[in-house]
Amino acid sequence: MDAGRDGWIRVPVGDDAARWATRADSRPVLLVVHNVTAATRLLDILPLFHDDLRVQLLATTPGSSAFRAGLAELFAKVDVPVVPWEQAVRLPVQLAISASFGGQLAALSCQLTILSHGVGYTKKLATPGAGSREPGAGSREPGAGSREPGAGSREPGAGSAPVFGLSREWLLGEDGAPVVDALVLSHPEQMERLRAACPEAVHTAVLAGDPCFDRVLAARGHRERYRRALGTHPGQRLVLLNSTWHTESLFGDGGDDLLPTLLPRLTSELPADEYRVAAVLHPNIWYGHSPGQIRIWLDRARRSGLTLVDPLDGWRQALLAADVVIGDHGSVTYYAAALGTPVLLGAAPLAALDPDAPISDFVREAPRLDPTAPLRPQLDTLMAEHQPLPSPAEFITSHPGESAARLRRLFYAQLGLSEPDEPALLEPLPLPPYEPPSRTAPLRVATWLRGSGKVAVERHADPRSELAGGGEVHLAVHEDTRDPAQLAIADVVFREGSATDPRFGSPDRWTAETLLRYPHSALVAYVTSSSACTVRTRDGQLLRLTAESAADPALYASALHAWLAAGKSVEELMPEGLTVRTGSAVHSVQVTSVRVTPA
C-alpha cells in the first residue's frame, strides 16, 4: 500500500487485492468514521479484533459530517490503513462498521453494522431531508434540536422532526429496504421505539449493550487514581461541567448562553482549595471551533484553575472522578446520572429529544441550576441531599458488562468466521497524565487564626470578589500572572518549579531575587512539589514548609503570612508546626528553618 500526495492510502482493488498484504487470506473490516464523536465508539470495539490474523482493519470517512477536524490525528494514532471513500465503496470488504449515519452508506455492498455513539438514539433533527442520502440534505448531525411548536410534547404527532437513527429517513434506502444489516441497540426500550417509528427495520435490531458504559463500569475501582491525575486533593470536590454540541446546549448561544459566564463564576465563587473545576466539551465543539479557539474563549477560567479534559481520551475518567456534574441533555450527563453522580442541568431543551426516550424523563425530573443564584450553596445542597434517579442506570443498557461478548459474536457471524478462543474483552480505561490545576489568576485570600499555630484559609481566584465571613484578607499572586500590576501590590508572590531549575538558580536564589523585585510583598514562596515549598519572609528568614497531605503548598505560604501578619513569630511554630484548615481538610505543616540571610 502506498500513500498518495493527499495522504490517503490506495489499496489495490479486485483481482489484485490479495497482493497488497502478506496475509492474503485476511478478511477486510471497514471502519466508517464520520467524525471524532463517532470514532470514540469505534475505538471502543477495536480490541474485539485483537490477535486475529484473519481480520484486516481498514478505515475511511464518507465526508458527510461538518465536523471532520481531528480525524487525521485520530487516524494517525490508530495507525490502520485509511482509504478514500470513493475507493472504500469498491473494496471487497465483508463487513463495515459505523457509529453514525449520513454519507452514502447505502453504496456499501457489504454487511453494514451501525452502533450508537451516545446513550441509544435520543435526539431529533432540525430538518429530516426525507429520503435523501446526500450530504447536506437537512441537518445530518444528531442533536440539532427541532424548534417547532410542540416539539418535546408527548402528544401523538407533536413535532415533525424524526429521531436520529430510529426513523425511516435514516434507516431505509430509496427502495424502501433497510440500509443496515445490523442496528445495535443497548436496551429493549429502543426496540419499542424502533418498532413504532420504522417497523421495516425491526428485524435488523441486535441487543448488544453499551461498550462505552461497560468500560466505565469496569474502571470504577480506579476512581481515586483518576482524581489524583486531575490534581484533586483529599477533601476537595471535583465539579465537572459537560456540554453537548449545538446552539441549545450548555455551551451554545441559542438558549441562555450560560457556560461562558458560568465557568469563570465557578472558578471565582468556589474556594480554590475546596473545589476542583474541570470541563468536558463535546468533540463537535472541541474540533468544530478548534481546541485553540476553545482555550482562547475560556482563558479567564483556565487561568483561575479550570482544566479542559480531552474529549477523546479523558472524559470517561473525569466522569468517574467527579463529585457533581453540571450538564445538559447530552449523553455524558446521562452517563453521570447512571453512575449515581449528582447532576444539575444548566440547559435542558426538551425539543431536541425524542419525547419517548428515557432521557426525556430524566431531563424533566433532574434538578436545574439557577444561574442567578450563588453557585456554591446549590452545589453543596445537591450533594448533601442527592437521591439518584433510577431511570438512567436502568435504561442505558440491559446487558451491563456483556457488550464485548455480544458484539464480537455479531461481527464474527457477519464475517462468517468462528470466534477466537479467548474471551471477548474491551480495553481498560488508561490512566490520564497528571494534570494539576494551573492557577495564575490573582488569589484573594481570607484567613482566620483559630488558636496556637492554627490558621483557616479560604482562597478565591478573583481579587475583586468580596468574601463572606470576615477574616483578614491578603492578595497572593503567581509570578506568571498576566497582570503585573497585581504583582506590585501582592502580599504573597509564588511560583512552581524544580528545586534544580537553572532558570531560577535555586529556591534560595529565587526567593531572594523576588523579594527585591517586589518590595511590597511580605513573603514569597517557591513551590517544589505537591507537598512542599520554600518561603522567604521580608526580614530574611528562609523556611521550608512541608506536609504529608497533598495540596497546593502556596496555601501554606498564605497561612504562614497570616500568622506573621498577626504579630506572631516563626519560633512559636516550632517544633509543632502549622495547622492549616481549608473547609473540612486539615493539613499539618512542618516549618523548618533553612538559614537566615538578608534578602
Side-chain angles (χ1 to χ4, degrees):
M1 294 175 288
D2 297 318
R5 293 181 179 179
D6 54 6
W8 294 105
I9 294 175
R10 262 61 186 187
V11 178
V13 181
D15 294 337
D16 294 330
R19 299 179 185 174
W20 59 266
T22 303
R23 302 290 305 183
D25 61 344
S26 295
R27 303 193 183 186
V29 172
L30 182 68
L31 305 176
V32 182
V33 186
H34 290 75
N35 49 43
V36 172
T37 307
T40 59
R41 190 55 50 93
L42 296 177
L43 293 178
D44 284 334
I45 57 94
L46 278 187
L48 302 182
F49 298 104
H50 282 181
D51 295 314
D52 194 340
L53 275 65
R54 300 171 298 170
V55 175
Q56 167 68 52
L57 295 178
L58 305 171
T60 190
T61 179
S64 61
S65 172
F67 301 98
R68 297 190 295 277
L71 280 181
E73 296 84 351
L74 185 143
F75 285 145
K77 180 178 179 180
V78 177
D79 206 21
V80 300
V82 181
V83 297
W85 175 253
E86 64 273 12
Q87 188 185 15
V89 298
R90 297 184 289 116
L91 285 175
V93 173
Q94 290 189 248
L95 171 62
I97 305 173
S98 175
S100 190
F101 291 83
Q104 295 280 340
L105 293 180
L108 294 168
S109 59
C110 60
Q111 291 278 306
L112 173 63
T113 292
I114 293 185
L115 302 87
S116 168
H117 58 255
V119 285
Y121 297 96
T122 62
K123 295 181 179 179
K124 298 196 290 185
L125 301 178
T127 53
S132 174
R133 296 295 163 191
E134 292 298 327
S139 172
R140 311 317 283 166
E141 297 289 340
S146 170
R147 294 181 179 270
E148 298 197 19
S153 167
R154 284 190 174 277
E155 295 299 321
S160 60
V163 176
F164 174 78
L166 293 185
S167 66
R168 286 183 169 89
E169 290 82 357
W170 293 104
L171 291 170
L172 303 183
E174 295 179 356
D175 59 357
V179 175
V180 302
D181 297 284
L183 179 67
V184 175
L185 307 178
S186 64
H187 194 281
E189 71 82 15
Q190 295 160 26
M191 185 85 76
E192 295 307 311
R193 288 191 288 129
L194 174 64
R195 183 172 287 109
C198 186
E200 300 92 331
V202 169
H203 70 278
T204 69
V206 178
L207 283 172
D210 185 326
C212 173
F213 195 57
D214 280 355
R215 294 183 71 193
V216 172
L217 291 176
R220 296 182 84 167
H222 300 306
R223 180 174 187 266
E224 290 304 318
R225 293 182 184 177
Y226 300 144
R227 289 173 64 81
R228 289 193 292 269
L230 280 168
T232 306
H233 302 307
Q236 279 188 316
R237 290 172 164 176
L238 174 60
V239 180
L240 183 69
L241 283 93
N242 164 249
S243 178
T244 188
W245 76 285
H246 206 257
T247 57
E248 293 183 347
S249 67
L250 186 60
F251 193 82
D253 59 5
D256 296 326
D257 199 13
L258 181 60
L259 193 63
T261 57
L262 180 61
L263 281 171
R265 278 188 62 197
L266 279 169
T267 52
S268 63
E269 289 186 28
L270 300 181
D273 300 295
E274 299 175 46
Y275 296 84
R276 176 81 170 91
V277 183
V280 171
L281 303 180
H282 192 284
N284 285 358
I285 299 175
W286 190 254
Y287 292 106
H289 296 287
S290 84
Q293 181 64 69
I294 298 300
R295 294 187 184 100
I296 290 170
W297 278 339
L298 302 180
D299 178 70
R300 177 182 166 192
R302 291 176 59 238
R303 287 185 287 115
S304 297
L306 170 75
T307 291
L308 292 174
V309 178
D310 188 300
L312 181 62
D313 292 326
W315 70 266
R316 283 171 282 212
Q317 296 89 325
L319 198 62
L320 285 166
D323 293 293
V324 61
V325 171
I326 300 175
D328 54 21
H329 60 299
S331 294
V332 174
T333 305
Y334 199 61
Y335 279 133
L339 291 171
T341 304
V343 169
L344 273 180
L345 295 183
L350 282 168
L353 300 173
D354 179 357
D356 294 319
I359 195 171
S360 291
D361 292 331
F362 164 73
V363 169
R364 292 184 182 91
E365 298 169 7
R368 303 293 178 89
L369 178 75
D370 181 356
T372 65
L375 300 174
R376 183 179 182 182
Q378 295 185 70
L379 294 172
D380 289 350
T381 299
L382 175 69
M383 287 183 276
E385 301 178 356
H386 175 59
Q387 295 292 330
L389 295 172
S391 172
E394 177 184 354
F395 286 109
I396 277 185
T397 174
S398 57
H399 297 89
E402 298 181 23
S403 65
R406 287 172 172 266
L407 287 171
R408 193 176 74 173
R409 187 181 311 132
L410 168 65
F411 297 152
Y412 275 77
Q414 291 177 302
L415 287 170
L417 294 174
S418 60
E419 288 190 67
D421 294 332
E422 294 77 13
L425 299 172
L426 302 175
E427 198 73 27
L429 295 182
L431 185 64
Y434 178 56
E435 192 169 6
S438 176
R439 192 176 290 113
T440 60
L443 296 169
R444 188 174 178 87
V445 186
T447 60
W448 300 263
L449 268 62
R450 299 302 194 193
S452 178
K454 297 179 180 178
V455 183
V457 183
E458 187 172 298
R459 303 189 301 166
H460 290 257
D462 189 345
R464 300 164 298 180
S465 62
E466 292 296 329
L467 304 181
E472 297 296 324
V473 176
H474 69 265
L475 182 65
V477 182
H478 195 287
E479 191 182 33
D480 291 339
T481 184
R482 180 175 292 177
D483 186 356
Q486 296 291 319
L487 283 169
I489 61 173
D491 301 287
V492 175
V493 177
F494 66 96
R495 76 162 305 110
E496 306 88 13
S498 166
T500 58
D501 191 327
R503 295 172 298 173
F504 307 116
S506 67
D508 184 351
R509 180 174 177 178
W510 179 88
T511 54
E513 292 176 347
T514 305
L515 270 181
L516 288 173
R517 186 176 297 114
Y518 304 111
H520 178 83
S521 62
L523 180 149
V524 296
Y526 188 92
V527 177
T528 52
S529 72
S530 63
S531 60
C533 67
T534 299
V535 303
R536 189 186 291 269
T537 64
R538 178 53 63 183
D539 62 6
Q541 295 185 86
L542 189 65
L543 306 168
R544 179 78 169 168
L545 308 184
T546 57
E548 292 186 2
S549 57
D552 178 2
L555 162 72
Y556 311 150
S558 278
L560 178 62
H561 168 70
W563 178 260
L564 298 177
K568 306 293 185 179
S569 69
V570 171
E571 287 70 28
E572 294 177 71
L573 300 176
M574 300 177 180
E576 288 80 7
L578 188 64
T579 301
V580 182
R581 176 181 290 274
T582 56
S584 61
V586 178
H587 308 277
S588 296
V589 182
Q590 292 298 310
V591 181
T592 307
S593 178
V594 179
R595 72 169 185 258
V596 179
T597 59

